[in-house]
Amino acid sequence: MESFDYDLQSVQEARNLARKAKLAQAELAKFNCEQIDKIIRNMVKAAEENAVSLAQMAVEETGFGKVEDKTFKNRFASTELYEFIKPMKTIGVIKEDKANKVMEIAEPVGLLMGIVPSTNPTSTAIYNCIIAIKSRNGIVISPHPSAAKCTLRATQLMNDAAVEAGAPANIIGCISKTSMNATNELMKCDEVSMIIATGGSAMVKAAYSAGKPALGVGPGNVPAYIERTANITKAVKNIIKSQTFDNGTICASEQSVIVEDCNRDQVMEEFRRQGGYFMTPSETEKVAKNLFVRGHAMSAKMVGRSAEVIANAAGISIPPGTKVLLGEQQGVGEGYPLSYEKLTTVLAFYSVKDWHEACDLCIKLLNNGGVGHSVSIHTEDSDMVMRFAEKPVFRILVNTPSSLGGVGASTGLSPAFTLGCGTWGGSATSDNVTPMHLINIKRVAYGIKDFTENVNPVYSACKAQLGNSGSVSEEQIQTLVNEVLTLLKKRGDN
């Protein structure tokens, strides 16, 4: 039997998965609400039962994050997500406007492609699969090569649970022979109707260039401003909790801390008390060199690592129990490496004179690779919140850990692991993506206005002026209309 090269095998696998899932989706599109809910409940059950083992697989395979936090994310992407989407209407008539006689009917998009990152390889896969099935779509997952095993396992569990509960076979698929060629094949194949891209900027841009609808996310680079009225103890606690949650692998996690001169010393002391270590300029330089490769791309060896691991790699000594490393920066962009996104336990630290300077700095940081995503503010001043609501982002997270707030765990936002950045961040949506983004809506509209007669407003006015008696002919009315229109044109009116 002829042997084929790996890349050819991977491309053929992608094609086979897409073809099978497309056929399965055509069957799933006929399912009713009760059938879909039964399938999702079984998927949630499987995710719950395997939350810990999947988290362990993810940490062992990638080296990123913590088992306990990835376990939480797996449960959040299933159980918490289900409670939120359960009441959503995604089948049949989903809205009826009786006054205007319009009905909205949901239809599935078709076959989805999900691009899953290595930072959240199992939780994002679970989340993608559940929102796909809720909206009666099939899905094929393209995992990150460095997390292929755990993502494949999560996807297989979701497919097996779905099929066990009555879904068509092969409704959920996952590439096992990962390659860029296979990913490109899926993105461009005719069977795929929409792409959900969660990952690096290059991958998201490729998804938007595939010639079909896509929902992609951009980088976060979230600034966190501790305003002068903030509860400093609570603010620092939230930031440390956020940055150490799965060791900073959520794109909504804080990347920079901004304080005012008037509370600088108090904030620094509180960080030290709660496990923050302020690096010297030379230590900051050593850490920064290890964090990035090829300019400002994060080194995979440093993503999602503890402060201790990062410090040891840089050859610096830190106190036992240190949770986050902070390095003071005097600017943004080239020459200030910590001003870029760092998906790990390292924060840039800035001091400003007042909130005006804080605003300017936040915008600079966001434009340095985070525009459209999120900003975090800690304050007791509601007017200040509204000033920050003017920033070029779509999530203004107040007095909460931004990583948990952005995904909807500690806030009322939609539970999601795909966080749109809107047009400002090059995304098709500014929302946390839900099943409602994965449906087409058709509309049934009854006539409510009679357009069978001439409804030109000038005509109607002229007819009223001449009277509606049978003694006035249509020709007379039209002559008057033409005279009125001529006068209006001379006046410059439309």
Side-chain angles (χ1 to χ4, degrees):
M1 182 176 174
E2 187 176 359
S3 176
F4 293 95
D5 292 343
Y6 177 87
D7 61 332
L8 296 178
Q9 293 178 41
S10 66
V11 168
Q12 188 61 55
E13 181 191 31
R15 290 175 179 170
N16 293 343
L17 289 167
R19 290 165 184 167
K20 290 177 181 178
K22 179 68 173 178
L23 292 173
Q25 191 277 325
E27 291 298 316
L28 190 74
K30 304 171 186 176
F31 281 35
N32 60 34
C33 296
E34 290 74 21
Q35 290 172 302
I36 291 296
D37 193 58
K38 178 183 176 183
I39 292 168
I40 294 177
R41 287 201 311 270
N42 209 43
M43 293 169 69
V44 170
K45 179 173 176 285
E48 272 284 354
E49 291 174 348
N50 293 275
V52 176
S53 62
L54 288 174
Q56 290 171 335
M57 282 188 70
V59 172
E60 289 170 5
E61 187 173 5
T62 66
F64 303 163
K66 306 173 184 176
V67 171
E68 60 271 27
D69 291 340
K70 289 194 182 297
T71 299
F72 174 89
K73 288 199 281 190
N74 290 336
R75 289 173 173 154
F76 180 73
S78 52
T79 304
E80 294 297 322
L81 174 67
Y82 174 67
E83 291 302 318
F84 184 84
I85 68 174
K86 183 180 178 180
M88 284 184 179
K89 294 181 178 180
T90 58
I91 300 172
V93 177
I94 60 173
K95 184 179 179 182
E96 185 172 5
D97 182 347
K98 292 184 178 180
N100 291 306
K101 294 186 177 182
V102 175
M103 285 192 301
E104 295 184 357
I105 302 172
E107 295 288 352
V109 167
L111 178 61
L112 307 174
M113 174 195 180
I115 300 175
V116 174
S118 56
T119 46
N120 303 293
T122 57
S123 53
T124 302
I126 292 167
Y127 152 78
N128 280 351
C129 292
I130 290 176
I131 64 173
I133 298 299
K134 173 68 175 178
S135 45
R136 293 181 297 165
N137 296 301
I139 187 167
V140 178
I141 299 291
S142 175
H144 192 283
S146 67
K149 292 179 181 178
C150 61
T151 300
L152 177 62
R153 177 59 180 157
T155 308
Q156 288 173 335
L157 285 167
M158 292 298 94
N159 183 68
D160 291 347
V163 173
E164 182 182 54
N170 306 307
I171 190 64
I172 297 169
C174 181
I175 296 173
S176 63
K177 298 179 183 298
T178 57
S179 73
M180 186 57 71
N181 287 338
T183 298
N184 288 334
E185 181 67 24
L186 265 186
M187 282 196 290
K188 297 177 180 178
C189 73
D190 292 338
E191 288 82 3
V192 169
S193 299
M194 179 181 280
I195 303 167
I196 307 176
T198 312
S201 297
M203 184 60 72
V204 172
K205 287 180 181 178
Y208 278 117
S209 302
K212 59 189 63 182
L215 296 171
V217 301
N221 205 27
V222 179
Y225 172 40
I226 303 178
E227 193 261 343
R228 63 181 62 195
T229 67
N231 180 327
I232 291 176
T233 300
K234 184 178 178 182
V236 170
K237 185 177 182 180
N238 278 330
I239 292 171
I240 290 180
K241 172 62 179 177
S242 182
Q243 200 63 17
T244 57
F245 179 76
D246 208 26
N247 287 340
T249 54
I250 291 181
C251 58
S253 62
E254 297 88 343
Q255 302 298 308
S256 303
V257 175
I258 301 169
V259 301
E260 298 184 50
D261 291 339
C262 64
N263 64 10
R264 170 191 167 94
D265 291 344
Q266 190 179 352
V267 170
M268 292 181 72
E269 179 57 34
E270 191 61 36
F271 263 108
R272 292 188 181 101
R273 192 182 70 79
Q274 294 192 35
Y277 175 75
F278 284 87
M279 299 180 287
T280 65
S282 62
E283 290 173 334
T284 299
E285 184 178 356
K286 290 177 182 178
V287 166
K289 285 182 178 179
N290 274 341
L291 285 182
F292 302 103
V293 295
R294 301 184 307 279
H296 311 296
M298 271 291 292
S299 167
K301 295 179 180 179
M302 296 293 106
V303 172
R305 311 291 172 160
S306 68
E308 182 182 10
V309 169
I310 294 170
N312 289 340
I316 68 173
S317 179
I318 60 175
T322 296
K323 297 176 180 177
V324 296
L325 304 176
L326 299 98
E328 189 149 13
Q329 302 285 275
Q330 303 302 323
V332 177
E334 291 296 333
Y336 308 100
L338 298 191
S339 67
Y340 294 88
E341 185 180 48
K342 311 163 290 298
L343 296 177
T344 196
T345 52
V346 178
L347 291 162
F349 188 80
Y350 292 92
S351 298
V352 295
K353 181 176 66 176
D354 54 26
W355 72 267
H356 295 283
E357 287 190 4
C359 283
D360 292 340
L361 180 55
C362 281
I363 291 173
K364 289 178 182 177
L365 288 164
L366 291 168
N367 286 328
N368 197 44
V371 69
H373 203 292
S374 308
V375 68
S376 170
I377 179 170
H378 298 269
T379 181
E380 297 300 317
D381 185 345
S382 58
D383 291 336
M384 189 63 64
V385 172
M386 296 314 297
R387 291 187 182 107
F388 270 71
E390 299 173 0
K391 299 295 162 286
V393 294
F394 295 102
R395 289 164 204 83
I396 298 87
L397 306 166
V398 184
N399 298 335
T400 190
S402 70
S403 61
L404 295 166
V407 300
S410 65
T411 63
L413 298 179
S414 305
F417 283 108
T418 298
L419 313 181
C421 299
T423 54
W424 299 337
S427 177
T429 181
S430 58
D431 297 334
N432 286 17
V433 174
T434 74
M436 300 308 293
H437 295 88
L438 308 179
I439 59 173
N440 291 311
I441 299 177
K442 61 172 63 169
R443 291 169 176 84
V444 177
Y446 288 79
I448 59 173
K449 300 174 184 177
D450 188 358
F451 275 70
T452 57
E453 293 188 9
N454 194 328
V455 292
N456 185 301
V458 176
Y459 179 92
S460 300
C462 291
K463 187 173 182 178
Q465 182 70 28
L466 290 173
N468 291 315
S469 67
S471 61
V472 180
S473 68
E474 288 291 326
E475 289 77 16
Q476 288 175 303
I477 296 174
Q478 193 59 54
T479 298
L480 181 57
V481 169
N482 293 337
E483 291 176 356
V484 171
L485 290 174
T486 299
L487 288 172
L488 291 173
K489 287 180 180 178
K490 285 181 180 180
R491 288 174 51 194
D493 295 339
N494 292 325

